[in-house]
Amino acid sequence: MPPHPDWERLEALMPAVREFQILAREHGIDDIFQDNGGKILQMLLALNLQGIPGREGNDAVDALGREYELKSVNIWLTASFSTNHHINIPIINKYREVCWTFAVYEGIEMRRAYFMTPDKLEPYFAAWEAKWSSSRKDINNPKIPLGFVMQKGELVYADQKELDLVAASGIRRDKAKAASDRRAAKAKAQADLIESLQEE
């Protein structure tokens, strides 16, 4: 099949994307398009951290030897940070041993980053631990709210541009409504199709 008319535009951009990937590989990131690789590279360089290769273990280390969990959120999509799809006691205990950096994005632009020691996150760790202990089941991706991070964390990076949380909330609302409208339209189309088939 023929390529899309924008294929040539994409091909023209690929040399810069390949340079981005070369830089990322130098910092332990094998693929900028997987596992948030591009954003992790931004965080590493903005905060002068060294990436720790591999999917297991922590994400980065600083010049003092402290290891880090790196988390990011696109505030145009959500207002909380994801954690792990299989939170259990070993992972919680690992989280209690490392520093945390939370990066706040608007789309692909990093606007802010906050540093937190694990003791600041202990209320969440304790709640997850209690939940796991009562159910003996891994917890699927509990969230850490953006508001909590901004209130309790130490601001370690800012791009000097306004961070408009009210506008971001409006964008999230619009996206949620558009998704709801698409689901409703799909359900109606399916119902109409079933009805037309029944009439035949």
Side-chain angles (χ1 to χ4, degrees):
M1 73 179 61
H4 188 279
D6 285 338
W7 173 252
E8 290 185 6
R9 291 177 62 194
L10 178 60
E11 282 293 283
L13 293 169
M14 284 306 293
V17 174
R18 292 185 187 105
E19 286 295 319
F20 190 4
Q21 180 57 62
I22 289 168
L23 178 60
R25 197 167 292 119
E26 293 172 7
H27 292 270
I29 298 167
D30 290 329
D31 189 337
I32 56 173
F33 293 133
Q34 286 190 340
D35 302 322
N36 233 8
K39 288 183 176 178
I40 288 174
L41 179 63
Q42 287 178 306
M43 294 171 71
L44 293 176
L45 299 182
L47 303 170
N48 196 22
L49 300 172
Q50 178 61 50
I52 301 174
R55 292 178 59 97
E56 301 300 322
N58 302 313
D59 298 316
V61 62
D62 67 15
L64 300 175
R66 297 179 300 184
E67 294 193 2
Y68 288 76
E69 278 288 320
L70 303 180
K71 300 297 180 185
S72 64
V73 65
N74 177 357
I75 60 172
W76 291 345
L77 300 178
T78 185
S80 58
F81 293 88
S82 295
T83 54
N84 187 298
H85 289 288
H86 302 284
I87 292 287
N88 53 36
I89 299 302
I91 289 176
I92 294 168
N93 287 337
K94 177 179 81 101
Y95 282 173
R96 285 177 164 137
E97 298 298 318
V98 298
C99 298
W100 290 65
T101 297
F102 297 90
V104 180
Y105 279 80
E106 289 180 335
I108 64 168
E109 304 291 340
M110 191 166 87
R111 297 291 186 225
R112 304 286 186 274
Y114 295 86
F115 169 85
M116 296 185 83
T117 52
D119 59 293
K120 296 282 184 67
L121 292 160
E122 183 56 32
Y124 289 94
F125 301 154
W128 301 343
E129 186 174 49
K131 182 175 181 179
W132 188 93
S133 295
S134 66
S135 69
R136 298 287 172 176
K137 293 181 181 176
D138 289 358
I139 307 167
N140 183 18
N141 197 16
K143 304 295 194 291
I144 299 173
L146 171 64
F148 175 84
V149 169
M150 294 181 73
Q151 181 183 18
K152 301 291 187 181
E154 175 190 351
L155 182 66
V156 291
Y157 171 85
D159 68 352
Q160 306 307 315
K161 297 177 184 175
E162 180 185 2
L163 184 67
D164 193 337
L165 298 178
V166 174
S169 177
I171 291 169
R172 291 195 301 273
R173 262 195 319 274
D174 291 345
K175 287 182 179 293
K177 183 179 185 310
S180 176
D181 291 347
R182 282 194 302 274
R183 287 192 297 271
K186 178 181 176 182
K188 183 178 185 312
Q190 288 174 325
D192 289 348
L193 178 60
I194 291 169
E195 184 179 344
S196 67
L197 291 173
Q198 291 172 342
E199 291 173 354
E200 290 180 0

